Amino acid sequence: MRFDVLDSRAVDLPDERRSPVRPGGGSDGSGSAVTIRPLSAEGGRWRVLVESWEVPGGCEGRLIFQPEGPIARADARVGPVNLRGAGRTELVGAAHELPEAWLRELLHSLA
C-alpha cells in the first residue's frame, strides 16, 4: 500500500478545490468527502471527514473537522492537502488508521 502524509505547508490549489465539498461529491463531481470518525476535543464533538479527488497517478486529499452539538456554530476547520494514495479507497482506508492523538493535534493547529 502506498500512502503518504505530506508536510503541512499550505498548497496553492485551483479555486474549485479551495472549499470543502459536501459529502457525496463536489459541484463538478470530482471530489468527495467521507466521514472517518467522531472526535472529542476542545470541549465538544467533531466529525472528521476526508475530502479526496483524483490526480494523475492517484488520489490526494485533506482532513476536514466539522463541529457537532453545542459547538456546531463554530466554523469547520480544513486541513492542508497532505494525504496521498493510489486511489480513494486506499486513501480513506489509511485515514481511518490515523491515530486519534495526531488528529487532535491537527485540529488544535488549525484553530
Side-chain angles (χ1 to χ4, degrees), residues 42-82:
E42 299 183 358
R45 297 204 35 92
W46 298 79
R47 184 168 44 126
V48 183
L49 301 103
V50 174
E51 178 187 22
S52 62
W53 53 88
E54 300 293 328
V55 294
C59 186
E60 288 185 344
R62 60 185 169 189
L63 296 170
I64 301 171
F65 298 88
Q66 183 94 33
E68 294 185 328
I71 64 166
R73 286 174 257 180
D75 291 333
R77 298 182 191 173
V78 180
V81 178
N82 63 353

Side-chain angles (χ1 to χ4, degrees), residues 20-108:
V21 296
R22 290 182 177 83
S27 59
D28 64 355
S30 65
S32 65
V34 177
T35 300
I36 60 167
R37 72 169 63 195
L39 183 69
S40 294
E42 299 183 358
R45 297 204 35 92
W46 298 79
R47 184 168 44 126
V48 183
L49 301 103
V50 174
E51 178 187 22
S52 62
W53 53 88
E54 300 293 328
V55 294
C59 186
E60 288 185 344
R62 60 185 169 189
L63 296 170
I64 301 171
F65 298 88
Q66 183 94 33
E68 294 185 328
I71 64 166
R73 286 174 257 180
D75 291 333
R77 298 182 191 173
V78 180
V81 178
N82 63 353
L83 305 173
R84 185 176 296 157
R88 281 190 176 128
T89 302
E90 181 178 296
L91 187 140
V92 171
H96 275 281
E97 297 179 21
L98 291 170
E100 192 167 317
W102 187 86
L103 292 171
R104 272 197 197 94
E105 287 180 29
L106 179 59
L107 173 66
H108 293 302

Side-chain angles (χ1 to χ4, degrees), residues 4 9 12 17 19-20 62 74 85 103:
D4 299 315
R9 288 179 286 148
D12 190 22
R17 291 200 188 146
S19 300
R62 60 185 169 189
L103 292 171

